[in-house]
Amino acid sequence: MSTLKVTNIQATGETASRAVSGVAGAYCNWNGTGTPSIRNSNNVSSLTDIGTGNQKVTYTNNFAAADYSSTFGGRVAAAGFEAFLAGGTDGQYVDVCDVITRNLNADADADIVCVECTGDLA
């Protein structure tokens, strides 16, 4: 059996390459309480605090189309955590994704927030 070792991977037709350790088009793990701060990310240029429980992730390299797949997760430390919602103030576009965290029917900051996006890069 052969072993293929590469540092970066680039799909046919894409102009941006991806590090093998981050094959997803983009991912980000951040602390959403107080001033949000990124813990770990790939293909993310910035994180913007829009308001309570609402942050915008901006990509370094855009996706080819806005219909890529996004998965959200995380934790609100207080009891009654409900869900993460995509498509807040700015929604999901080729260059950004808006993430909203909620607790008991109200927007709430989360201490752990994660998003992973899979799709072709532009």
Side-chain angles (χ1 to χ4, degrees), residues 50-68:
I50 297 171
T52 301
N54 192 344
Q55 288 94 37
K56 182 191 321 183
V57 176
T58 303
Y59 309 121
T60 303
N61 296 295
N62 292 352
F63 281 87
D67 59 356
Y68 55 89

Side-chain angles (χ1 to χ4, degrees), residues 52-55 72 83-89 98-102 107-108:
T52 301
N54 192 344
Q55 288 94 37
F72 301 89
F84 284 78
L85 308 172
T89 305
D98 196 27
V99 179
I100 296 176
T101 55
R102 297 181 61 81
D107 292 352

Side-chain angles (χ1 to χ4, degrees), residues 59 62-69 92-96 118-122:
Y59 309 121
N62 292 352
F63 281 87
D67 59 356
Y68 55 89
S69 177
Q92 178 173 296
Y93 297 101
V94 296
D95 59 339
V96 299
T118 305
D120 293 333
L121 297 178

